[in-house]
Amino acid sequence: MENFGGAQALELADPSSTNVTAANPTIDANGHLYVPDTANSRVLGWTSASAFSNGAPAALVIGQPDFFSFACDDGAAGGDVNGVGPYSLCEPGGVAIDGAGNLYVADTVDNRVLEFAAPFSSGMSAGQSASKVFGQNGTFTTVACNDGAAGGDVSGVGPDSLCNPNGTALDASRNLYVADYGNGRVLEYNTPLDPSSGETGAGDTNADFVFGQNGSFITAGCSRGTAADDVSGVGPDSLCEPASVAADSDGNIYIGDAGDNRTLEYNAPLDPSSGETGAGDANADPVFGQSSFIATHCSGAVSADTLCTPNGVAVDGAGNLYIADSADSRVLEYDHPRATATPTPAASPTPTPTPTPSPTPTSTPASTPASTPSPTPMPSATATPTATATPSATVTPTPSATATPAPTPTPAPTPTPVSTPTPTPTPVPGGRLSVASSLTFGPVGIGVSPKTEVLKVHNLHRRRTLTVSLAAWRRPLRCSRERGRSRSLRCMRSP
């Protein structure tokens, strides 16, 4: 991948050419725009969104020493190891900004999240150093997937580890959320920049809350739910390859569960005293894109109710939800989804006022509608208004006349035939993905030493096996499965 375009050239995230599922830009409180330039292993910053849309060059670059460098892990500072350090990035994914203008970058291929202190206030246009690192046990020079070293970690998996993080978000209290894509979970860090906040675990880089793994920090993978109604581990307590995360102003969390083709919403998961149903836990409350919590397929009939590989989620100030429905090539917007999902007005109280007039005679007709199970006999309730003849109720014989409308036979409701749902077609294995032309690693610049280049192939569908056949290659190209990612192939050409 080459790019000599400088501050104006962008090659954004593309799953076919990078290891990043989604690259989400963000805007801070002062209007500064940050865009992950994934394929060039950098984040670019513009003074405003209008400057970007008008074609102005970027004002600053994060992850590279200058606007014309583009290599993965190109750090050259003292103490860097193989180019890895607090100044470097490798295919960054999502970015997020807190209220103070601090920037959080999901450094996806390096299996970490870096925090940069208010870049537009640093006075530097390039080469800014990160202040904190998440996912590498506090070390800026390591990049392995699940390289945790905290007490209690299992095979490197714990509250201090990450594997291919894709998305980041912050809530109003400046708690950090990271979509830990490769581990099938989302981690939450209590005010990592503010140890005096009073929250448990505040001020460090160890996660304090986990979504998608039943509250366990030492398990990883897809569909590990254990709730009573889960099916094959899929339910409101499970995740599979979460690609993005967002928080609204009330502390509700939205997660783009890309591998399960749905988006989940959690009511105030950090605040059990909020009064919301389901608050204070890691079980999702509503589900978007599927008919239930145990459904995970991409629907063959695309509609407003379906999702297929949702890679991005966002919430605006009015509480409207936006989902990048990637495989369906569209973005869906939900008007106040929490407001519309909560009220379910019951129609049953409406008929109850009808028995009010003349309780004694009405008791016999009232039993008639009660015996009819379906709401279709509601027209017979209109016969009850014959109680308007109660002016003649002063005369004794009138009640016998009132019994006349009762014999009118109520037509028996015709049973509605239940339609048998058409079964979802089972995917048929097979097929071939071929490349028409040869794959090249691009030219090497004059005076630039050769570096190891990496080609990655990733199967986005979690229920199909990826089988790759290399028809022809020139040594020394070697391929292997990526650690922790059974559906990813890593091919490497050494210099």
Side-chain angles (χ1 to χ4, degrees):
M1 187 72 65
E2 71 264 24
N3 185 335
F4 299 101
Q8 288 177 294
L10 279 176
E11 293 184 31
L12 298 179
D14 178 0
S16 65
S17 63
T18 71
N19 200 45
V20 176
T21 305
N24 302 317
T26 191
I27 299 176
D28 68 16
N30 294 315
H32 303 129
L33 171 67
Y34 293 91
V35 178
D37 186 12
T38 303
N40 288 319
S41 294
R42 63 184 184 175
V43 174
L44 297 178
W46 277 263
T47 54
S48 66
S50 60
F52 172 79
S53 61
N54 291 331
L60 60 81
V61 59
I62 301 289
Q64 297 291 348
D66 54 55
F67 284 105
F68 299 93
S69 299
F70 56 89
C72 171
D73 291 330
D74 203 19
D80 287 2
V81 176
N82 296 323
V84 178
Y87 304 88
S88 65
L89 292 173
C90 188
E91 296 185 6
V95 295
I97 293 286
D98 67 17
N102 302 308
L103 174 69
Y104 298 78
V105 180
D107 190 11
T108 303
V109 173
D110 284 340
N111 302 298
R112 63 184 185 173
V113 170
L114 298 180
E115 180 267 330
F116 298 85
F120 271 96
S121 301
S122 68
M124 303 175 65
S125 61
Q128 182 175 346
S129 173
S131 303
K132 275 187 180 289
V133 57
F134 302 81
Q136 293 295 323
N137 201 32
T139 303
F140 282 103
T141 56
T142 59
V143 297
C145 167
N146 293 330
D147 201 23
D153 285 5
V154 175
S155 300
V157 179
D160 57 338
S161 69
L162 289 171
C163 188
N164 297 122
N166 265 270
T168 57
L170 289 116
D171 62 21
S173 300
R174 300 186 186 178
N175 301 306
L176 172 66
Y177 300 81
V178 177
D180 191 9
Y181 180 88
N183 284 327
R185 64 184 185 175
V186 169
L187 298 180
E188 182 271 336
Y189 304 79
N190 289 341
T191 59
L193 303 188
D194 184 10
S196 63
S197 69
E199 295 191 41
T200 304
D204 63 30
T205 57
N206 289 332
D208 301 288
F209 197 87
V210 58
F211 301 82
Q213 295 292 326
N214 282 311
S216 173
F217 286 102
I218 59 175
T219 59
C222 283
S223 308
R224 299 182 67 91
T226 59
D229 296 326
D230 288 2
V231 174
S232 300
V234 178
D237 55 339
S238 69
L239 289 171
C240 184
E241 298 180 345
S244 56
V245 58
D248 67 16
S249 58
D250 295 322
N252 305 300
I253 302 303
Y254 297 82
I255 296 176
D257 189 13
D260 284 333
N261 304 299
R262 62 184 184 174
T263 291
L264 301 178
E265 187 266 334
Y266 303 78
N267 290 341
L270 304 187
D271 185 10
S273 63
S274 69
E276 295 192 50
T277 303
D281 62 33
N283 292 329
D285 297 294
V287 56
F288 301 86
Q290 298 290 346
S291 58
S292 70
F293 282 109
I294 60 174
T296 62
H297 62 279
C298 283
S299 175
V302 179
S303 71
D305 301 321
T306 62
L307 290 172
C308 191
T309 319
N311 283 333
V313 293
V315 184
D316 65 20
N320 301 308
L321 173 65
Y322 302 82
I323 300 177
D325 187 16
S326 301
D328 290 329
S329 301
R330 61 182 185 171
V331 173
L332 298 181
E333 184 266 344
Y334 301 79
D335 291 336
H336 308 286
R338 296 186 62 257
T340 53
T342 307
T344 50
S348 52
T350 316
T352 41
T354 52
T356 310
S358 62
T360 313
T362 315
S363 58
T364 38
S367 61
T368 310
S371 63
T372 54
S374 88
T376 48
M378 286 291 283
S380 66
T382 55
T384 312
T386 51
T388 51
T390 45
S392 58
T394 49
V395 185
T396 311
T398 314
S400 60
T402 321
T404 310
T408 49
T410 305
T414 307
T416 306
V418 180
S419 58
T420 305
T422 55
T424 305
T426 304
V428 179
R432 175 181 297 178
L433 174 66
S434 60
V435 180
S437 59
S438 61
L439 293 174
T440 60
F441 286 96
V444 177
I446 298 174
V448 179
S449 60
K451 304 184 73 171
T452 297
E453 301 288 356
V454 176
L455 169 67
K456 295 174 183 175
V457 181
H458 182 54
N459 180 15
L460 288 178
H461 201 295
R462 71 185 184 91
R463 290 185 172 83
R464 294 179 185 170
T465 303
L466 175 65
T467 303
V468 176
S469 173
L470 298 177
W473 69 92
R474 282 187 283 180
R475 298 180 183 276
L477 180 69
R478 59 184 185 274
C479 298
S480 62
R481 298 284 179 189
E482 282 201 282
R483 177 185 175 189
R485 306 193 69 181
S486 60
R487 294 175 291 109
S488 295
L489 189 72
R490 181 185 180 98
C491 300
M492 181 178 295
R493 185 194 69 176
S494 299

